[in-house]
Coordinates of all heavy atoms in Angstrom, one line a residue:
R78 N -31.6 35.8 -77.5 CA -30.6 35.5 -76.6 C -31.3 35.1 -75.2 O -30.5 34.9 -74.3 CB -29.8 36.7 -76.4 CG -29.1 37.1 -77.6 CD -28.2 38.4 -77.4 NE -27.6 38.7 -78.7 CZ -27.0 39.7 -78.9 NH1 -26.6 40.7 -77.9 NH2 -26.2 40.0 -79.9
D79 N -32.5 35.2 -75.2 CA -33.3 35.0 -73.8 C -33.1 33.5 -73.5 O -33.9 32.6 -74.2 CB -34.7 35.5 -73.7 CG -35.4 35.3 -72.5 OD1 -34.8 34.8 -71.6 OD2 -36.5 35.9 -72.4
S80 N -32.3 33.0 -72.6 CA -32.1 31.5 -72.4 C -33.3 31.0 -71.7 O -33.5 29.7 -71.7 CB -30.7 31.4 -71.6 OG -30.9 32.0 -70.4
T81 N -34.1 31.8 -71.0 CA -35.3 31.2 -70.4 C -36.4 30.8 -71.4 O -37.2 30.0 -71.0 CB -35.9 32.2 -69.3 OG1 -36.4 33.4 -70.0 CG2 -34.8 32.7 -68.3
R82 N -36.3 31.2 -72.6 CA -37.4 31.0 -73.5 C -37.0 29.8 -74.5 O -38.0 29.1 -75.0 CB -37.8 32.3 -74.4 CG -38.4 33.3 -73.3 CD -38.9 34.4 -74.2 NE -40.3 34.5 -74.1 CZ -41.2 35.3 -74.7 NH1 -40.7 35.9 -75.7 NH2 -42.5 35.3 -74.5
N83 N -35.7 29.7 -74.8 CA -35.4 28.6 -75.8 C -36.2 28.6 -76.9 O -36.7 27.5 -77.2 CB -35.3 27.3 -75.0 CG -34.5 26.3 -75.8 OD1 -33.7 26.7 -76.5 ND2 -34.7 25.0 -75.4
L84 N -36.3 29.7 -77.7 CA -37.1 29.7 -78.9 C -36.5 29.3 -80.1 O -35.2 29.5 -80.3 CB -37.6 31.2 -79.2 CG -38.5 31.8 -78.0 CD1 -38.6 33.3 -78.4 CD2 -39.7 31.1 -78.1
T85 N -37.0 28.5 -81.0 CA -36.5 28.0 -82.3 C -36.6 29.2 -83.2 O -37.4 30.2 -83.1 CB -37.3 26.9 -82.8 OG1 -38.7 27.2 -83.0 CG2 -37.3 25.7 -81.8
L86 N -36.1 29.1 -84.4 CA -36.0 30.0 -85.5 C -37.5 30.2 -85.9 O -37.9 31.4 -86.2 CB -35.2 29.5 -86.6 CG -35.1 30.6 -87.9 CD1 -34.7 31.9 -87.5 CD2 -34.3 30.0 -88.9
E87 N -38.2 29.1 -86.0 CA -39.7 29.1 -86.3 C -40.5 29.9 -85.3 O -41.3 30.8 -85.7 CB -40.3 27.7 -86.5 CG -41.7 27.7 -86.9 CD -42.3 26.3 -87.0 OE1 -41.6 25.5 -87.7 OE2 -43.4 26.0 -86.6
N88 N -40.3 29.8 -84.0 CA -40.9 30.5 -83.0 C -40.6 32.0 -83.0 O -41.4 32.9 -82.9 CB -40.6 29.9 -81.6 CG -41.2 28.6 -81.4 OD1 -42.2 28.1 -82.1 ND2 -40.7 28.0 -80.4
L89 N -39.3 32.2 -83.4 CA -39.0 33.7 -83.5 C -39.6 34.4 -84.7 O -40.0 35.5 -84.6 CB -37.3 33.9 -83.7 CG -36.6 33.5 -82.5 CD1 -35.0 33.4 -82.8 CD2 -36.8 34.5 -81.4
T90 N -39.7 33.6 -85.8 CA -40.5 34.2 -86.8 C -41.9 34.5 -86.6 O -42.5 35.5 -87.0 CB -40.4 33.1 -88.1 OG1 -39.0 33.0 -88.5 CG2 -41.0 33.7 -89.3
V91 N -42.6 33.6 -85.8 CA -44.0 33.7 -85.4 C -44.0 34.9 -84.5 O -45.0 35.8 -84.6 CB -44.5 32.5 -84.7 CG1 -45.9 32.8 -84.1 CG2 -44.6 31.4 -85.7
E92 N -43.1 35.1 -83.6 CA -43.0 36.3 -82.7 C -42.9 37.5 -83.5 O -43.6 38.6 -83.2 CB -42.0 36.2 -81.7 CG -42.2 35.2 -80.6 CD -43.4 35.5 -79.7 OE1 -43.6 36.7 -79.4 OE2 -44.1 34.6 -79.3
N93 N -42.0 37.6 -84.5 CA -41.8 38.7 -85.2 C -43.1 39.0 -86.0 O -43.5 40.2 -86.2 CB -40.8 38.5 -86.3 CG -40.1 39.8 -86.8 OD1 -40.7 40.8 -86.8 ND2 -38.9 39.7 -87.4
L94 N -43.8 38.1 -86.6 CA -45.0 38.3 -87.4 C -46.1 38.8 -86.5 O -46.9 39.8 -86.9 CB -45.5 37.1 -88.0 CG -44.6 36.5 -89.2 CD1 -45.1 35.2 -89.7 CD2 -44.7 37.6 -90.4

Side-chain angles (χ1 to χ4, degrees):
R78 294 179 187 180
D79 188 352
S80 60
T81 62
R82 295 186 118 192
N83 197 21
L84 296 172
T85 64
L86 182 59
E87 183 178 312
N88 291 346
L89 289 171
T90 302
V91 169
E92 286 296 320
N93 199 346
L94 290 172

